[in-house]
Amino acid sequence: MKLIIAIIHDEDALKLVKNLTEQGYRVTKLASTGGFLRSGNTTLFIGIEKEKVDHVIEIIKDQCKSRKEIQPAPTPMIGNSSMFITYPIEVNVGGATIFVVDVDRFEKV
Amino acid sequence: MKLIIAIIHDEDALKLVKNLTEQGYRVTKLASTGGFLRSGNTTLFIGIEKEKVDHVIEIIKDQCKSRKEIQPAPTPMIGNSSMFITYPIEVNVGGATIFVVDVDRFEKV
Amino acid sequence: MKLIIAIIHDEDALKLVKNLTEQGYRVTKLASTGGFLRSGNTTLFIGIEKEKVDHVIEIIKDQCKSRKEIQPAPTPMIGNSSMFITYPIEVNVGGATIFVVDVDRFEKV
Ligand code: NI
Ligand code: NI
Ligand code: NI
């Protein structure tokens, strides 16, 4: 039995948990650092058999890999006498830190 | 030395921590997922000697086991011309996911 | 590869993470228990090579060790006919609980 501790970005949490659950993995979602929009991370604990570690890590990589994304520019504040032209912003999203540790014992009660 | 990682429901956290502490166990309470009423979970880290793992798991089971509970129905909204009869709801509460991992080193500073 | 799980007090989190990062360690900050002022704790996950465990623990001890601190008294509420004299309060701050566990596998994606 292994415990996969995956720290992912909040924006990827929903789809990753959905994906893992649909494939039959039991995922425990811990708290996220919350607070600010898009800045939090979510910690997942996934207890699985040794043979499935590769598969779970593959799924996490697929869903969470670090990538660039084009975000619409925030709506500009338009004052009396000035106007700003805004551009979409390229931001880094995603990414995951994964630790696999050995589990002596696993219980679900 | 072992580390017990127990993920329990918020509603059981207070009594479990109290119970473990009274029996001499040191419990570190991590964040809970918070957010919505009754929907959060709390993660506990308990560092203990190998011989006590069984006892701690027994306590967690006692305090947190999955069970049904009768909750009073929410107060109905009563409109002008209609009235709803409400019934108490049976809900699932409790439950715990427990991982025991080996600890190379434990420090309290 | 080892995983250091350090549970520290919120008030020490910023300077510890800064210090570890400046010395080249990768730190993942989990959620804190938040809620009440000064009462929360923060969990850090630090994945490192076995040879560096001692150094990281030394840094955590330096930055987070349990200590007493003099805090200015809260500003008293002054009513119509009474006045309170307040004194600075000595409080316990800091402290850390550290678990080191073996890591089978570590991935950053
Ligand atoms: Ni993010
Ligand atoms: Ni619950
Ligand atoms: Ni504190």
Side-chain angles (χ1 to χ4, degrees), chain A residues 9 11 38 40:
Chain A
H9 282 227
E11 63 264 27
R38 294 188 70 79

Side-chain angles (χ1 to χ4, degrees), chain B residues 8-12 37-41 92-95:
Chain B
I8 60 169
H9 281 227
D10 286 350
E11 63 264 27
D12 294 330
L37 187 63
R38 293 189 71 80
S39 68
N41 58 48
N92 288 306
V93 294

Side-chain angles (χ1 to χ4, degrees), chain A residues 10-11 32-41:
Chain A
D10 285 349
E11 63 264 27
S32 57
T33 50
F36 300 105
L37 188 62
R38 294 188 70 79
S39 67
N41 59 49

Side-chain angles (χ1 to χ4, degrees), chain C residues 9 11 38 40:
Chain C
H9 282 227
E11 63 263 27
R38 294 190 70 81

Side-chain angles (χ1 to χ4, degrees), chain A residues 1-3 5 28-32 45-48 101-109, chain B residues 2 5 7 31-33 41 43 53-54 57 61 65-66 95-102:
Chain A
M1 192 78 184
K2 301 288 177 184
L3 169 61
I5 301 173
T28 303
K29 188 171 168 295
L30 294 207
S32 57
F45 280 7
I46 307 156
I48 46 160
V101 304
D102 200 54
V103 174
D104 281 356
R105 189 165 160 185
F106 173 72
E107 302 263 350
K108 190 109 189 166
V109 299
Chain B
K2 300 287 176 184
I5 301 174
I7 298 144
S32 55
T33 50
N41 58 48
T43 305
V53 168
D54 280 341
I57 288 179
K61 285 183 176 176
K65 64 175 168 292
S66 189
T97 303
I98 305 165
F99 300 97
V100 183
V101 304
D102 200 55

